[in-house]
Amino acid sequence: MRLSQMLFVTLRDDPADAEIPSHKLLLRAGYIRRIGSGIYAYLPLMWRVLQKVSQIVRQEMNATGAQECLLPQLQPADLWKESGRWDTYTKAEGIMFSLIDRREQQLGLGPTHEEVITTIARDMIRSYRQLPLHLYQLQTKFRDEIRPRFGLMRGREFIMKDGYSFHVDENSLKETYQDMYQAYSNMLRRSGLAFRAVEADSGAIGGSGSTEFMVLAEAGEDEVLFTEDGKYAANVEKAVSLPADAEPSRFTTYEKRDTPGTETIDKLCQFLKCSPTQVVKNLLYKVVYANDNTLLVLVSIRGDQEINEVKLLNELTKKRDQYGRTSTVLSLTVSDISDQKIWATKSLPIGYIAPDLSSDYIATRNFTRQELQEELKLEIDEIIKDLPLSPSYSLLDIKEAVKNKCNASNLSQQENLFNALKKIRELQLKYPIAMERYIDKTAVELKNFVTGANETGYHVVGANWGEQFQLSENVVDVRKARPGDRALHNPEQTLQSARGIEVGHIFQLGTKYSLSMGASYTNEQGEEKPLFMGCYGVGVSRLAQSAVEQSYDKDGIIWPVAIAPYHAIVTIPNINDAQQVEIAEKLYTELNQAGIETLLDDRDERAGVKFKDADLIGIPYRIVTGRAIANGKVEVVERATRKSQEIVIDEVKSTLKQWIAAAIEVKN
């Protein structure tokens, strides 16, 4: 391709809205163009990079026996409601673009395709003879990001490879999972990237286990914890470790102490001259579920540790309501003073809370008939006629009664009932229905510890579980692992930290979707069994930008040879020099015919401008038809090392073929 004929515009200065180096460089070098918040056009150079990444992905997927297909971007909400994820994606995380069509049907633009593929499997897979089956697609996905940033790293529209496998049992699933682990490793190596595979939290997709593939880069949004022996690596959200040993307590008897102005761990330890490892700190969270129930959660943890809110969220998601149902957590926040003004019966002793904080602090509202009549604007006697006679009623009971009435009512009555449900939801969000208590494992074994006294300005010392404080049944691991912690597999190894960009994620879903959506097969014995599933994603556009984030210098991009838009660029320093032009045209033709993808910079620009643009766009090899042609040679500059050498013109083709083959082979 000739640059004079190409849509090619470079910028000398960094765009104001670009934050990280790769974002700045892709914009400056004319690879992408911002169309709107989180929305980018892939320009010709970028599209060639994406095609090369896609080709590597396809080759590795096809080599495992996976079959390519294409699934719809527009998905009916009913499928997501079947799986139970509609609320998660439209309310809790709020990342799905949802809409209502002219037929009043709810639809979503797919951020992922588990529901669609499970529907296909449910309709088409009948027998164990059809299994295992692995389907994948390369597709544009959509996420309604709250704060799109970093260019293609966190956009609202992106290109992704997502695959889904179906199996008769867990063993078959694990075989494909291992195949994908190897295939993903191959994809990243072939793309010329330094990466690390790490244990990960499965998040809203779910399943029993997952692995993330992180491209190592300082601008990575994720923190990775790993050991130098190579036997452990995990996203900090998932990571586990051994905390430092607790120091022996200096307190031997239980007593209440006056501790004014010690609302933080540091101040408390300075005042009492004790170690934070002998303190039990207690944090109060407010949790809102998709069923509109609001709970308070008191978490007790050792004073020198932090709470990993992803781990806590996973524990809270397991909780079942009084009807035996689990519900999506919409929000998890530390309860603050403005929030407490609504539901607290009296001022909470913030900074001095004990593990046995009384539920009396919570105004768990029950409503009388008159209050319900005023709040809901309904004939309340008709609503509660099937409930046990009581002077007051909980919001949860009233909500179920209104729902039942709504289902049995005609259309003219339903509008008032829907308004009542909306009002009940508003009341539920204001008033927690109960307090749950969780204790982290780091606090369980402490003896003679220090903790709050449930009174501002006071703590207790020398406290013990089973004596002054009852040990909660909810003993959990919700501590945040951190650099310097000892590793579980070998306490002599300590956790190190690195930043990473997640470009791939593989999941063992098990029967999560097949059970909720009724996807089954018939086994050899004629029994109907749920399908075991796996899913496997690679961010194609994110991978391309992460390559830039990992490899650049002050002058521009340094593309790995395997995914560079072109292998070489022939630069004519003086377009008015007939000999320079003639040799450049000859090399341009010969190299392309030999399979060496080559650009020709034939623009009428100064040599310095051309050299700067060549560095900026990051083509691996630059061939300059300058002064060396007087000796029958051209200058060849390697972009990655800046190494320059003069090569005989007739040997350029063979030399470049050798270099390119070697560069790609090293990564394979």
Side-chain angles (χ1 to χ4, degrees):
M1 187 69 193
R2 299 170 185 273
L3 276 186
S4 62
Q5 298 174 2
M6 193 175 192
L7 179 60
F8 181 71
V9 178
T10 58
L11 306 174
R12 293 294 163 229
D13 299 316
D14 292 335
D17 61 341
E19 299 176 60
I20 59 175
S22 58
H23 187 196
K24 295 174 183 177
L25 289 170
L26 288 175
L27 286 166
R28 282 187 54 208
Y31 279 83
I32 60 175
R33 202 75 171 180
R34 184 180 182 274
I35 303 302
S37 177
I39 304 170
Y40 289 86
Y42 308 122
L43 300 177
L45 286 174
M46 192 69 201
W47 188 241
R48 287 182 66 90
V49 174
L50 294 173
Q51 285 179 314
K52 290 191 175 184
V53 174
S54 299
Q55 182 182 28
I56 291 171
V57 170
R58 280 193 172 95
Q59 288 171 349
E60 292 298 333
M61 292 301 295
N62 293 343
T64 68
Q67 303 171 57
E68 186 172 2
C69 62
L70 188 63
L71 304 174
Q73 295 172 326
L74 205 55
Q75 303 182 26
D78 289 345
L79 298 183
W80 286 73
K81 291 176 181 177
E82 276 189 63
S83 71
R85 292 205 301 172
W86 182 255
D87 283 339
T88 302
Y89 275 77
T90 59
K91 293 181 182 178
E93 296 186 14
I95 61 171
M96 180 185 278
F97 286 100
S98 58
L99 60 122
I100 297 176
D101 67 14
R102 66 181 65 196
R103 296 180 302 149
E104 300 299 314
Q105 300 295 307
Q106 280 186 306
L107 300 163
L109 281 174
T112 184
H113 278 73
E114 283 80 9
E115 283 76 8
V116 169
I117 203 72
T118 304
T119 300
I120 292 170
R122 178 177 65 191
D123 293 346
M124 299 185 71
I125 295 176
R126 294 286 178 264
S127 167
Y128 69 93
R129 295 187 180 89
Q130 296 171 270
L131 302 169
L133 175 69
H134 189 170
L135 301 173
Y136 78 94
Q137 63 171 344
L138 275 86
Q139 172 71 282
T140 298
K141 305 279 189 170
F142 302 90
R143 287 173 64 99
D144 190 7
E145 294 283 357
I146 295 174
R147 188 188 166 211
R149 56 181 181 162
F150 303 158
L152 308 184
M153 294 290 194
R154 189 165 291 282
R156 300 166 77 196
E157 179 179 314
F158 53 96
I159 300 173
M160 183 176 174
K161 188 287 297 180
D162 52 322
Y164 307 89
S165 63
F166 299 91
H167 309 267
V168 296
D169 56 27
E170 191 172 10
N171 288 334
S172 175
L173 166 58
K174 287 182 176 179
E175 288 178 9
T176 297
Y177 187 83
Q178 287 304 315
D179 288 344
M180 287 299 99
Y181 186 102
Q182 186 59 54
Y184 277 42
S185 299
N186 293 347
M187 291 173 196
L188 295 175
R189 269 194 291 268
R190 288 182 59 189
S191 297
L193 301 175
F195 70 96
R196 192 180 293 275
V198 305
E199 293 181 18
D201 181 72
S202 296
I205 288 179
S208 59
S210 70
T211 300
E212 287 176 336
F213 292 81
M214 296 280 194
V215 171
L216 302 178
E218 290 183 8
E221 289 187 280
D222 294 287
E223 183 181 6
V224 176
L225 298 179
F226 64 95
T227 54
E228 289 185 347
D229 64 3
K231 294 183 178 179
Y232 183 75
N235 189 309
V236 70
E237 294 177 347
K238 178 76 172 180
V240 293
S241 63
L242 295 170
D245 292 333
E247 294 182 19
S249 175
R250 59 183 292 266
F251 304 104
T252 56
T253 57
Y254 176 77
E255 61 178 302
K256 182 178 177 180
R257 294 276 187 94
D258 184 359
T259 55
T262 58
E263 63 279 356
T264 68
I265 295 295
D266 286 345
K267 291 178 181 178
L268 175 65
C269 291
Q270 287 177 12
F271 187 90
L272 293 177
K273 295 180 173 56
C274 68
S275 165
T277 64
Q278 272 302 326
V279 177
V280 172
K281 65 180 176 182
N282 307 283
L283 287 87
L284 191 63
Y285 284 88
K286 179 181 176 182
V287 188
V288 178
Y289 285 89
N291 61 10
D292 300 327
N293 285 340
T294 299
L295 291 181
L296 293 179
V297 175
L298 185 67
V299 183
S300 300
I301 190 169
R302 205 171 82 183
D304 63 324
Q305 301 298 315
E306 296 177 58
I307 292 175
N308 181 329
E309 293 187 356
V310 173
K311 290 183 179 180
L312 178 58
L313 189 68
N314 290 337
E315 293 294 336
L316 295 170
T317 303
K318 299 174 186 176
K319 180 178 173 55
R320 294 182 179 273
D321 65 19
Q322 68 186 73
Y323 300 99
R325 300 172 301 203
T326 59
S327 183
T328 301
V329 174
L330 294 184
S331 68
L332 171 67
T333 55
V334 175
S335 182
D336 60 22
I337 293 175
S338 62
D339 162 55
Q340 292 161 12
K341 285 180 179 178
I342 298 173
W343 55 259
T345 57
K346 52 187 173 179
S347 178
L348 268 76
I350 302 299
Y352 301 89
I353 290 175
D356 63 349
L357 181 71
S358 173
S359 296
D360 292 343
Y361 278 95
I362 307 173
T364 50
R365 284 290 309 272
N366 278 6
F367 289 76
T368 65
R369 294 185 178 195
Q370 182 177 348
E371 287 175 325
L372 289 169
Q373 183 80 40
E374 292 172 357
E375 290 280 3
L376 305 184
K377 313 299 183 189
L378 291 175
E379 290 298 328
I380 204 64
D381 288 344
E382 179 66 18
I383 299 294
I384 63 176
K385 67 179 182 180
D386 295 326
L387 295 177
L389 189 64
S390 172
S392 62
Y393 299 88
S394 73
L395 285 172
L396 196 59
D397 286 339
I398 292 297
K399 183 177 181 180
E400 290 297 318
V402 172
K403 278 185 175 180
N404 292 335
K405 182 70 174 176
C406 188
N407 292 334
S409 299
N410 57 43
L411 290 174
S412 62
Q413 296 175 303
Q414 283 184 354
E415 184 176 354
N416 288 338
L417 292 167
F418 283 141
N419 289 334
L421 285 173
K422 184 178 179 181
K423 182 63 179 179
I424 291 171
R425 181 175 188 272
E426 292 172 0
L427 293 171
Q428 281 183 294
L429 295 177
K430 284 184 179 180
Y431 298 106
I433 61 171
M435 181 190 292
E436 295 282 338
R437 302 172 197 277
Y438 289 79
I439 179 168
D440 182 75
K441 292 177 181 178
T442 56
V444 170
E445 296 180 3
L446 293 184
K447 299 183 186 304
N448 296 319
F449 55 80
V450 178
T451 194
N454 286 330
E455 184 178 346
T456 299
Y458 291 89
H459 283 83
V460 296
V461 301
N464 287 282
W465 302 111
E467 296 179 16
Q468 291 80 23
F469 297 104
Q470 182 179 350
L471 192 63
S472 168
E473 295 179 358
N474 300 318
V475 176
V476 293
D477 171 21
V478 292
R479 67 174 284 270
K480 185 176 182 179
R482 53 196 181 194
D485 285 350
R486 297 167 296 164
L488 287 179
H489 74 278
N490 180 0
E492 294 182 359
Q493 292 282 321
T494 57
L495 298 187
Q496 309 294 315
S497 176
R499 305 301 300 182
I501 302 166
E502 180 196 343
V503 296
H505 204 156
I506 60 177
F507 301 82
Q508 296 180 52
L509 298 177
T511 56
K512 171 181 169 69
Y513 293 92
S514 54
L515 285 176
S516 62
M517 299 185 71
S520 61
Y521 73 98
T522 303
N523 67 12
E524 290 184 73
Q525 290 73 41
E527 301 167 321
E528 192 170 335
K529 297 287 183 180
L531 290 162
F532 281 77
M533 287 179 61
C535 76
Y536 321 94
V538 169
V540 172
S541 47
R542 176 179 272 215
L543 188 155
Q545 183 171 333
S546 69
V548 180
E549 194 61 45
Q550 191 175 84
S551 187
Y552 66 91
D553 62 17
K554 63 182 179 60
D555 294 316
I557 298 167
I558 304 172
W559 285 111
V561 174
I563 62 172
Y566 291 89
H567 297 133
I569 180 169
V570 178
T571 302
I572 307 170
N574 182 0
I575 200 72
N576 297 314
D577 187 317
Q579 189 178 15
Q580 288 186 16
V581 173
E582 181 184 353
I583 293 171
E585 292 280 1
K586 176 176 178 289
L587 285 170
Y588 171 65
T589 301
E590 287 181 356
L591 293 175
N592 277 304
Q593 288 176 346
I596 300 171
E597 300 166 2
T598 305
L599 274 172
L600 177 62
D601 192 347
D602 58 343
R603 295 175 299 164
D604 187 9
E605 290 281 1
R606 290 180 290 107
V609 171
K610 294 183 177 184
F611 295 156
K612 281 185 176 295
D613 280 345
D615 283 344
L616 180 59
I617 65 177
I619 306 302
Y621 303 103
R622 183 173 83 232
I623 303 160
V624 183
T625 59
R627 295 172 184 169
I629 63 174
N631 300 318
K633 297 179 179 181
V634 290
E635 180 190 18
V636 180
V637 182
E638 185 180 14
R639 177 67 184 89
T641 64
R642 295 194 170 279
K643 182 180 177 182
S644 173
Q645 57 186 293
E646 293 183 355
I647 298 175
V648 175
I649 294 171
D650 290 341
E651 295 177 3
V652 171
K653 180 174 70 175
S654 59
T655 301
L656 282 181
K657 286 191 77 169
Q658 183 180 348
W659 288 353
I660 292 166
I664 293 175
E665 185 179 352
V666 166
K667 300 299 181 182
N668 287 345

